Amino acid sequence: MMVADFPLWPEQASTFAKDVDALYIFLIILTGTVSVGIFLTIFGLAIKYRRRPDNELAQDYEPPKILEVTWIVVPTIIFMGLFVWGSWLYFHLARVPDDALDIYATGKQWMWKFQHPTGQREINTLHVPVNRPIKITMASEDVIHSLFFPYFRTKMDVLPNRYRSMWFQATKTGRFHIFCAEYCGTLHSGMIGWVEVMEPTEYQKWLAGGSEGSMASQGEQLFQKYACNTCHTNDATGRGPVLAGLYGKDVTLSNDTTVKADDNYIRESILNPQAKVVKGFNPIMPTFQGQVSEDDMMKLLAYVKSIGQNTAPATTPAPAGAKGTNP
Amino acid sequence: MSDMALGNEHHHHHPFLQHHFEDLGQQHEASTLGMWMFLCTEILFFGGVLCAYWVYRVMYPEAWAVGAHLQQTGWGATNTIVLIVSSLTMALAVRAAQLGKRGQQLGFLFATLIFGTAFLVVKGIEYHRHWEEGLFPGSHFHWHEHPELAQKVQLFMCFYWGMTGLHALHMIIGAGLLLWIMWRAYKNHFGPEYYAPVEVMGLYWHFVDIVWIFLFPFLYLIHEVHHG
Amino acid sequence: MADTTEHHQLEHAPHVHVTPLWIYIAVFLALAVGTIVTYLASLVDLGMWNTPVALIIATIKAVLVILFFMHVIHSTRLTWVTVVGSFLWLGILFVLTFADYLTRGWSLFK
Amino acid sequence: MTTATLHDVRLSGAASDRNYFNDEYGALSWFLTKDHKRIAILYLISVSVLFVIGGFFAMMMRIELLTPEGDLLTSDTYNKFFTMHGVVMIFFFLIPVIPAVLGNFLLPLQIGAKDLAFPKINLLSWYLYMLAAGIGLIVIVTGGVDTGWTFYTPFSTQYSNTHVFGTTFAGFIAGFSSILTGLNFIVTIHRMRAPGLTWYRLPLFVWALYATSIVMLLATPVLAITLVMLMIERTVGVGFFDPALGGDPVLYQHMFWFYSHPAVYIMILPAMGVASDVVAAFTRKKIFGYRFVAFSSLAIAFLGFLVWAHHLFVAGISVYSAMIFAFLTFFVAVPSAIKVFNWTATLYKASVSWQTPMLYIMGFIGLFTIGGVTGLFLASLGLDIHVTDTYFVVAHFHYVMVGGTVMAYLAGIHYWWPKITGRMYPEWWARLAALLVFVGFNLTFFPQFILGYVGMPRRYHAYAPEFQVLNVLSTAGASVLAVGYMLPIFYLIWSIWNGRPAGKNPWGAVGLEWTTSSPPPKENFHETPVVTWEAYDYPGMMKAMGETQHV
Ligand code: HEA
Ligand code: HEA
Ligand code: CUA
Ligand SMILES: [Cu+2]
């Protein structure tokens, strides 16, 4: 069993993997050459000029100073190249494609909870379609965790105080590891799971099975449960601003600055409404800190998002299933 | 033992010259440089918490303004003046030591101690009031005027207590050192040849004063951010 | 930085530079005035300038204390380097920390 | 007025009978000593004990990791072990080891001073260190701590129910010990140099200690205040980084690494200083590009402050600041490269002696290079996303810290052992140990690079079965390494009584420390030396020695 299962290289299962591996291989060759070169030089010289009776004294010789300049300038240039390459990859990973499929993740000691916009929830397993960018929006309920997909060559820390999002596009179907990579207490090494990459049709089938209604519609119910609708009505008569059409727009605040209504803005508006007060409204919205769990928060977010795209409240989810397939 | 490497004759063996120094000049330079190095670390010590303070101040300007308005500026201003006076008397004590005037020196050191203590008393009064008003962070923090800002104001109060507490701790240590210096001054240890301990004490005391010069506007005087 | 010449200086007892009394008094008065001005400035609405004004006055006060009460003005170059250096280092902490916080909202052009 | 000159820098007879060791007797003469050499011995004993404790935790972890299941230790115990391994090794071993042992002993000797500028503060540093280590030991025996050596919030402030307070308090105190050592060194180097000893005549070890001290002075206080904030948050229940109040855990990480990245240069700079001195002595040459090597220490010390957030590339900092930090990180590698190349170039046309200190230093240069260049992997943003928090990072930092600093420390302790004790260590055993350490080290940590890239996260008590083979190799290597480390402990102690008397200058090395007797007298020099020669003036020394003399 030991020998059979002895990988020296992780499988490449995302679009990103080969790019990262390319840089890795380049670095191995570059630094390998340099390191081996230095090693051999040291040993070579140490043997050649080893102390012998006729070599008790070093020769009075100084290598030319131009060497010094060379080995300052050349590495610097190489390093700048590495910087550009590494940054290019990083930037690429930071920019989530617009057409990515939304998935929500919560880290919690010691499990991963995933929610699909259509309402499916799963723990420690994540089903995603192949060949389609997936965006994971995530937060932690307690300490810092880190969602790590080694075969996709990506990971990101999950924070307790704000949303962050990462993305990947799987290129192979199959089961791949998920690890928690940021130490989070007793069962940190047990906070593991699997990502199941499926054909889009399979994925649609899977989505169709057992769900409690889409996240947005569950969010809508919560919207009533928390009595948000008493102030946020569908027309301009409420005490709070109309939330339809809000998501992704710029909001003008009472101090005349504008902010983009993104995930973290919505989250903050609910947890700490007075931090950014919308122009023309009184700061009367109560805080929901401590009342709304991370799961519910994500549903509320999904709801606010859903009514952001089409002005009517979403009753039917706009599932972000694979293109052209019917659920 | 031979000190003759530098071969200067006029230096008799001063009782406070330590064995490993060549002469009092070297010893003096070493002590003051040592204190400066220590103050470097102090700058970064206070600087660390100050950096955190500014990060949150930029994030939560309203809460910071509210927090500053919870302070009584009168007390803060009084204390600033008290501390500046103590710095003056400290500087004059060093001067008296340089001139070898023992009486003056003792007087100014004593004045410094008195003003330092006055500062701590005023700070104590403020602390007491904050405690009574439930402005100490933690489970018994009560402050509800703007419920939505309460958490961030509490965060501000963490910094208030943390920074002024650290500063007060430095004052207490300074007061202890002053007593020791006063005792040595009383024993007539200092004069134009040897006054490094007084000088070093002064550097420390002035540094603590500088910290407060910044803390005062940062914790008491934040102008309200106006909403349009 | 120190070199051999430093040792010659050190052969003697400490180099005493006694600051005239009036300088101490003048610095003290300046500090007191600074305190009052800071306080008054906080009462008027200077728009975005309130914070910078408070900071500038505090810095001036600190510089006065450092130069005169702490005798840096007559000190060796090494002392100057030490003082300036430690503030420079504090600057590193601030600038690079804020390089993060202030750019968090920047968009990633596509 | 007699002065020590080049002509004295040669082999000479028996040790003088009065030395710092036998100058006074009794336990109190040690515990109240102000002699920097005795304080160095106190440190030597204490850091060695803590190294064995740290090593014990390492061995237990390696044994646990033999199998994928968590079978030997419970997960809580494992978590405590890697935390205490990291805390002990970093704060109580690696940071003090070279400065407080070798630096303390040699700095005054190398600059021709009678002692450090502040002998009492030097003793105080040791007591603070002991207090911190004592608290650390109490924490260990009363249940330990499980946060990782980085103490990330909010886990450390709100979730861990182990002795976080005690540990961070110990770290805080150890920090002050380190600050006071740095302060003492800087003042000593500025104010206590012997006549004629200009900056460019200083041994590179002194330059390295100077650069190290700057970092200690300017970085450590930020750690101190950060730990204070952490302790307050933990005791009061709310505080500076608490997300519930709007605090930001990433701010803690900024402040922690503002210290802890420069701290890695506190660990490596003195090692580089040792390397320079040893390379010069065992090649009988002046280090090539002396000034470049000297200033590269200062450059590392400075640039080291500009790169801390390369530990936070996936932690939630802005994309643009990540790029700034990555950019600056590459610059800190340039002065390190200068040193590596200059040591290598020094070997050219030299007279290379293959004695133990040189063996360790050859190992050091190679292993530090591997550790350093894998740091470049981590600095390459897009790649770090994959390898951060995996065994790749673990391998990187053991290569620089163990392959780098510990190897250099072993080189230094062998090189200066004759000066410290007046006796030679047994060369054959020492070479054997050096070989074992080198082989064992690579076997332990090289597989971890692969392990990391394949995806094994660090701080894992149990792991996926496919990672086993590499883990078994690593554990096997660690056993060899442990034997390699055990040997010196035995033969060095043995040599104190049984070693061959060393004489003033057994290596034929240049440097003020070799002009006084071994062990040195209480006040170091019988007469204040006057320096008239350049650093590493081997050509000059060789001429002065006239006919070659067999060493
Ligand atoms: C002695 C300690 C030490 C030293 C010297 C270094 C040196 C370096 N380190 Fe390392 N590092 C650590 C100790 C150290 N590190 C520790 C303890 C951690 C993890 C902490 C934790 O999370 O627990 C860490 C983690 C760490 C990270 C974060 C990884 C992560 O968590 O994701 C990074 C990222 O940039 C990094 C980079 C570097 C770089 C670029 C250097 C450079 O200074 C290296 C420069 C040297 C060289 C480059 C070699 C010589 C150069 C040549 C021979 C030139 C020729 C080469 C070419 C032309 C390619 N280190
Ligand atoms: C100076 C620093 C230093 C040193 C010297 C070492 C030395 C060693 N380290 Fe350590 N290590 C760290 C600093 C250091 N480490 C840090 C900072 C971490 C991160 C912690 C964290 O994540 O918070 C870490 C983490 C770490 C891990 C990762 C744990 C994890 O993430 O789950 C591992 C795993 O193999 C490891 C192994 C070893 C080994 C085998 C040695 C060997 O070199 C040790 C060999 C030494 C001895 C064994 C002692 C001498 C031997 C004797 C006297 C014989 C008698 C004793 C016995 C045989 C029991 N270390
Ligand atoms: Cu969650 Cu580690
Ligand atoms: Cu680093």
Side-chain angles (χ1 to χ4, degrees):
Chain A
M1 166 243 175
M2 260 169 62
V3 185
D5 220 4
F6 177 31
L8 288 175
W9 201 273
E11 215 172 314
Q12 295 183 335
S14 75
T15 48
F16 199 55
K18 62 174 190 328
D19 296 341
V20 173
D21 287 358
L23 175 54
Y24 185 58
I25 291 167
F26 174 80
L27 272 165
I28 290 178
I29 294 171
L30 171 75
T31 61
T33 317
V34 175
S35 309
V36 171
I38 289 174
F39 239 95
L40 291 181
T41 314
I42 289 177
F43 271 90
L45 292 176
I47 291 170
K48 177 145 185 242
Y49 299 108
R50 70 186 174 281
R51 192 166 297 167
R52 289 175 304 245
D54 63 335
N55 184 28
E56 280 285 336
L57 300 177
Q59 296 167 44
D60 202 356
Y61 169 83
E62 277 252 318
K65 283 276 184 267
I66 182 74
L67 277 179
E68 198 78 64
V69 180
T70 319
W71 60 56
I72 294 175
V73 174
V74 174
T76 310
I77 294 171
I78 298 177
F79 293 161
M80 288 306 97
L82 290 176
F83 163 70
V84 172
W85 191 342
S87 300
W88 174 78
L89 280 178
Y90 188 75
F91 213 72
H92 180 60
L93 195 76
R95 288 180 326 192
V96 185
D98 290 331
D99 59 340
L101 169 65
D102 266 312
I103 287 178
Y104 296 85
T106 323
K108 181 178 183 319
Q109 283 176 328
W110 293 277
M111 61 171 98
W112 292 108
K113 297 199 275 185
F114 299 102
Q115 300 187 62
H116 297 256
T118 45
Q120 278 78 3
R121 294 135 106 0
E122 36 185 346
I123 288 183
N124 291 345
T125 309
L126 171 63
H127 290 80
V128 293
V130 73
N131 291 331
R132 169 134 209 217
I134 314 284
K135 172 187 179 189
I136 303 188
T137 302
M138 54 200 188
S140 161
E141 286 192 8
D142 36 50
V143 300
I144 303 174
H145 303 271
S146 186
L147 187 55
F148 178 25
F149 299 98
Y151 301 135
F152 300 161
R153 308 284 188 278
T154 186
K155 73 163 74 69
M156 185 174 271
D157 283 8
V158 185
L159 299 178
N161 60 333
R162 64 178 208 253
Y163 285 130
R164 306 191 64 205
S165 33
M166 70 193 288
W167 76 280
F168 57 80
Q169 177 168 345
T171 53
K172 268 186 194 163
T173 56
R175 273 180 110 220
F176 304 103
H177 281 302
I178 297 176
F179 293 126
C180 174
E182 181 64 60
Y183 174 66
C184 54
T186 309
L187 288 185
H188 161 62
S189 62
M191 194 164 158
I192 54 181
W194 296 95
V195 50
E196 299 262 7
V197 182
M198 318 167 89
E199 288 300 338
T201 45
E202 297 279 311
Y203 177 66
Q204 288 308 320
K205 258 188 233 142
W206 178 83
L207 275 187
S211 122
E212 311 149 28
S214 74
M215 275 182 79
S217 65
Q218 292 180 51
E220 189 177 10
Q221 282 159 24
L222 291 172
F223 202 71
Q224 275 144 27
K225 184 183 145 204
Y226 291 116
C228 315
N229 55 350
T230 52
C231 300
H232 297 283
T233 50
N234 274 334
D235 46 38
T237 58
R239 288 183 289 166
V242 177
L243 299 185
L246 167 68
Y247 189 75
K249 301 278 155 36
D250 282 338
V251 179
T252 308
L253 302 180
S254 55
N255 58 359
D256 284 322
T257 54
T258 52
V259 291
K260 188 160 175 246
D262 58 7
D263 300 351
N264 275 315
Y265 171 77
I266 309 276
R267 178 190 166 88
E268 191 184 31
S269 295
I270 299 169
L271 292 180
N272 183 31
Q274 262 64 25
K276 299 195 177 78
V277 177
V278 183
K279 194 178 173 93
F281 289 88
N282 292 320
I284 51 164
M285 174 167 163
T287 169
F288 286 84
Q289 178 113 40
Q291 300 171 39
V292 183
S293 71
E294 280 304 334
D295 282 359
D296 283 0
M297 178 66 73
M298 280 170 177
K299 288 176 188 150
L300 284 171
L301 173 63
Y303 170 69
V304 175
K305 264 183 174 173
S306 71
I307 58 175
Q309 286 138 13
N310 42 344
T311 27
T315 36
T316 39
K323 293 159 195 150
T325 39
N326 227 340
Chain B
M1 54 176 289
S2 60
D3 283 343
M4 80 243 195
L6 290 170
N8 50 341
E9 265 177 80
H10 62 259
H11 96 242
H12 51 279
H13 234 301
H14 192 282
F16 295 114
L17 174 64
Q18 286 167 295
H19 78 103
H20 59 292
F21 288 112
E22 297 292 342
D23 56 38
L24 278 172
Q26 190 188 29
Q27 181 172 325
H28 183 95
E29 294 281 313
S31 339
T32 47
L33 182 61
M35 183 40 99
W36 273 111
M37 290 297 151
F38 182 71
L39 294 184
C40 278
T41 72
E42 288 275 33
I43 288 175
L44 278 125
F45 187 70
F46 280 100
V49 65
L50 209 62
C51 181
Y53 162 95
W54 274 100
V55 165
Y56 293 133
R57 178 164 171 173
V58 169
M59 278 186 188
Y60 312 120
E62 292 88 355
W64 251 234
V66 169
H69 285 281
L70 291 174
Q71 316 304 323
Q72 287 189 337
T73 318
W75 285 123
T78 313
N79 250 355
T80 312
I81 300 287
V82 167
L83 212 50
I84 292 174
V85 176
S86 82
S87 246
L88 175 68
T89 53
M90 186 70 234
L92 294 177
V94 177
R95 189 170 179 275
Q98 288 174 329
L99 297 173
K101 297 184 178 160
R102 174 164 164 273
Q104 267 193 26
Q105 196 193 334
L106 274 169
F108 283 128
L109 286 172
F110 186 66
T112 313
L113 186 64
I114 292 298
F115 284 110
T117 315
F119 177 92
L120 287 170
V121 169
V122 171
K123 200 72 239 162
I125 296 172
E126 290 185 81
Y127 279 162
H128 180 73
R129 195 175 62 85
H130 289 325
W131 181 268
E132 299 280 284
E133 289 174 358
L135 289 178
F136 190 78
S139 47
H140 76 264
F141 187 83
H142 319 279
W143 180 80
H144 300 298
E145 264 166 64
H146 301 280
E148 58 312 318
L149 282 184
Q151 290 164 336
K152 270 90 207 181
V153 170
Q154 198 177 345
L155 190 61
F156 173 88
M157 288 311 290
C158 289
F159 280 94
Y160 171 80
W161 285 90
M163 289 157 90
T164 56
L166 221 52
H167 178 262
L169 185 68
H170 278 77
M171 295 284 296
I172 293 170
I173 294 172
L177 293 175
L178 264 177
L179 283 173
W180 175 65
I181 295 286
M182 280 169 73
W183 183 77
R184 290 194 64 183
Y186 172 75
K187 291 268 171 182
N188 209 1
H189 285 181
F190 305 124
E193 280 207 308
Y194 174 72
Y195 63 96
V198 195
E199 164 105 20
V200 162
M201 171 74 225
L203 291 179
Y204 176 85
W205 193 263
H206 297 309
F207 170 80
V208 178
D209 183 21
I210 291 176
V211 171
W212 184 260
I213 286 180
F214 284 101
L215 289 190
F216 174 55
F218 288 177
L219 296 173
Y220 290 76
L221 302 179
I222 303 174
H223 198 83
E224 195 109 33
V225 193
H226 286 289
H227 299 292
Chain C
M1 287 216 177
D3 52 30
T4 33
T5 53
E6 229 173 56
H7 288 281
H8 293 295
Q9 244 181 39
L10 295 183
E11 278 170 31
H12 311 285
H15 167 73
V16 185
H17 184 105
V18 184
T19 312
L21 202 59
W22 69 267
I23 291 193
Y24 284 133
I25 307 284
V27 170
F28 167 72
L29 290 177
L31 293 176
V33 170
T35 307
I36 295 165
V37 174
T38 322
Y39 174 62
L40 294 179
S42 78
L43 299 179
V44 269
D45 185 1
L46 301 173
M48 58 166 295
W49 288 103
N50 280 88
T51 306
V53 165
L55 261 177
I56 290 168
I57 301 177
T59 308
I60 294 174
K61 285 163 72 182
V63 169
L64 286 176
V65 173
I66 291 173
L67 287 184
F68 297 102
F69 283 0
M70 298 170 93
H71 306 152
V72 168
I73 196 141
H74 322 285
S75 297
T76 54
R77 218 169 43 177
L78 182 60
T79 315
W80 282 86
V81 171
T82 310
V83 176
V84 174
S86 47
F87 283 103
L88 187 85
W89 249 259
L90 192 56
I92 295 176
L93 174 62
F94 272 77
V95 169
L96 286 177
T97 305
F98 277 91
D100 172 20
Y101 282 94
L102 298 181
T103 59
R104 283 198 187 168
W106 288 15
S107 65
L108 304 173
F109 52 90
K110 302 211 173 177
Chain D
M1 174 164 86
T2 33
T3 57
T5 65
L6 278 178
H7 297 278
D8 294 322
V9 186
R10 49 191 314 175
L11 310 183
S12 73
S16 105
D17 42 350
R18 296 222 61 71
N19 59 49
Y20 75 98
F21 228 86
N22 61 18
D23 198 72
E24 279 175 276
Y25 290 98
L28 273 190
S29 78
W30 283 89
F31 289 124
L32 296 180
T33 183
K34 284 176 270 161
D35 182 343
H36 65 103
K37 298 180 288 305
R38 286 189 163 206
I39 296 174
I41 301 293
L42 293 176
Y43 268 116
L44 173 65
I45 297 167
S46 12
V47 295
S48 303
V49 170
L50 279 136
F51 175 66
V52 173
I53 295 173
F56 166 76
F57 290 129
M59 287 316 289
M60 296 306 283
M61 288 192 304
R62 281 313 332 161
I63 297 171
E64 163 65 65
L65 294 173
L66 263 177
T67 57
E69 306 79 32
D71 31 24
L72 175 68
L73 309 169
T74 64
S75 47
D76 277 327
T77 312
Y78 182 84
N79 295 344
K80 288 175 181 171
F81 276 22
F82 72 69
T83 303
M84 295 184 300
H85 167 68
V87 169
V88 167
M89 285 300 200
I90 299 248
F91 293 114
F92 299 129
F93 174 65
L94 208 58
I95 288 181
V97 66
I98 298 184
V101 178
L102 297 177
N104 238 330
F105 197 94
L106 289 153
L107 179 59
L109 284 166
Q110 289 198 328
I111 66 172
K114 289 182 193 140
D115 206 322
L116 290 177
F118 308 114
K120 280 186 224 155
I121 290 184
N122 196 18
L123 184 64
L124 176 66
S125 300
W126 182 73
Y127 275 104
L128 286 176
Y129 170 83
M130 288 308 282
L131 178 63
I135 297 175
L137 291 182
I138 292 174
V139 164
I140 289 173
V141 296
T142 57
V145 56
D146 71 347
T147 55
W149 81 280
T150 46
F151 311 116
Y152 275 11
T153 61
F155 182 75
S156 60
T157 48
Q158 293 170 21
Y159 291 86
S160 171
N161 45 24
T162 55
H163 296 298
V164 181
F165 188 90
T167 315
T168 43
F169 188 55
F172 177 81
I173 295 178
F176 277 97
S177 161
S178 172
I179 288 176
L180 293 180
T181 303
L183 186 156
N184 223 333
F185 283 4
I186 293 197
V187 176
T188 307
I189 296 171
H190 271 290
R191 295 287 179 238
M192 314 280 285
R193 278 170 288 128
L197 191 53
T198 58
W199 284 84
Y200 292 128
R201 289 178 177 176
L202 288 174
L204 288 164
F205 184 53
V206 175
W207 275 93
L209 287 175
Y210 185 74
T212 311
S213 305
I214 293 178
V215 184
M216 285 174 161
L217 273 185
L218 293 169
T220 319
V222 177
L223 175 76
I225 189 71
T226 310
L227 293 181
V228 168
M229 289 162 78
L230 192 156
M231 288 186 271
I232 294 177
E233 178 159 343
R234 191 167 166 92
T235 36
V236 180
V238 290
F240 307 90
F241 310 110
D242 184 357
L245 298 189
D248 183 9
V250 177
L251 180 62
Y252 168 82
Q253 299 177 20
H254 271 297
M255 294 179 66
F256 179 83
W257 290 110
F258 179 87
Y259 163 77
S260 290
H261 181 80
V264 310
Y265 299 113
I266 296 179
M267 306 175 214
I268 202 70
L269 280 168
M272 293 167 155
V274 172
S276 300
D277 273 20
V278 170
V279 167
F282 291 85
T283 56
R284 299 226 166 118
K285 274 194 81 176
K286 183 172 173 143
I287 292 288
F288 174 57
Y290 169 92
R291 290 190 184 201
F292 282 93
V293 179
F295 280 106
S296 63
S297 287
L298 293 182
I300 292 175
F302 175 69
L303 293 168
F305 277 91
L306 307 179
V307 307
W308 74 80
H310 65 209
H311 296 270
L312 310 184
F313 287 157
V314 302
I317 58 173
S318 88
V319 172
Y320 294 99
S321 71
M323 287 165 65
I324 296 173
F325 279 106
F327 182 74
L328 294 167
T329 299
F330 283 105
F331 276 98
V332 82
V334 175
S336 310
I338 295 177
K339 289 188 191 256
V340 169
F341 290 127
N342 282 22
W343 293 320
T344 309
T346 306
L347 293 179
Y348 186 65
K349 298 207 173 181
S351 162
V352 184
S353 153
W354 283 67
Q355 292 177 88
T356 311
M358 189 60 188
L359 290 187
Y360 275 116
I361 287 302
M362 290 199 271
F364 163 84
I365 300 176
L367 300 181
F368 169 72
T369 302
I370 298 178
V373 295
T374 51
L376 302 175
F377 287 50
L378 298 171
S380 307
L381 280 164
L383 188 54
D384 184 61
I385 291 182
H386 175 55
V387 290
T388 184
D389 278 323
T390 67
Y391 265 82
F392 192 93
V393 177
V394 175
H396 156 68
F397 66 72
H398 283 91
Y399 262 84
V400 271
M401 298 199 299
V402 186
T405 309
V406 177
M407 292 287 260
Y409 169 65
L410 287 169
I413 204 85
H414 284 88
Y415 174 48
W416 282 300
W417 191 252
K419 183 53 60 186
I420 296 173
T421 62
R423 303 285 184 151
M424 296 305 288
Y425 57 83
E427 185 66 32
W428 189 87
W429 284 100
R431 287 187 191 178
L432 176 71
L435 189 70
L436 284 179
V437 168
F438 185 80
V439 172
F441 173 83
N442 282 296
L443 190 56
T444 312
F445 294 107
F446 200 82
Q448 295 186 358
F449 283 122
I450 307 170
L451 210 44
Y453 201 76
V454 188
M456 177 164 164
R458 61 191 283 204
R459 300 173 170 174
Y460 261 33
H461 160 242
Y463 54 85
E466 65 261 30
F467 301 139
Q468 190 175 11
V469 177
L470 291 164
N471 269 301
V472 170
L473 285 179
S474 180
T475 303
S479 323
V480 179
L481 188 55
V483 176
Y485 283 141
M486 248 186 289
L487 282 179
I489 297 182
F490 292 127
Y491 67 70
L492 286 179
I493 292 176
W494 174 89
S495 77
I496 296 176
W497 293 276
N498 306 302
R500 183 162 55 79
K504 258 189 186 177
N505 186 0
W507 311 116
V510 175
L512 282 178
E513 76 267 33
W514 302 110
T515 63
T516 188
S517 50
S518 316
K522 189 173 182 201
E523 297 227 313
N524 292 345
F525 298 93
H526 298 285
E527 287 163 26
T528 306
V530 175
V531 179
T532 54
W533 64 89
E534 296 300 301
Y536 310 121
D537 189 11
Y538 285 93
M541 182 191 92
M542 289 305 157
K543 273 178 220 129
M545 279 171 74
E547 294 322 307
T548 47
Q549 187 149 15
H550 207 81
V551 181

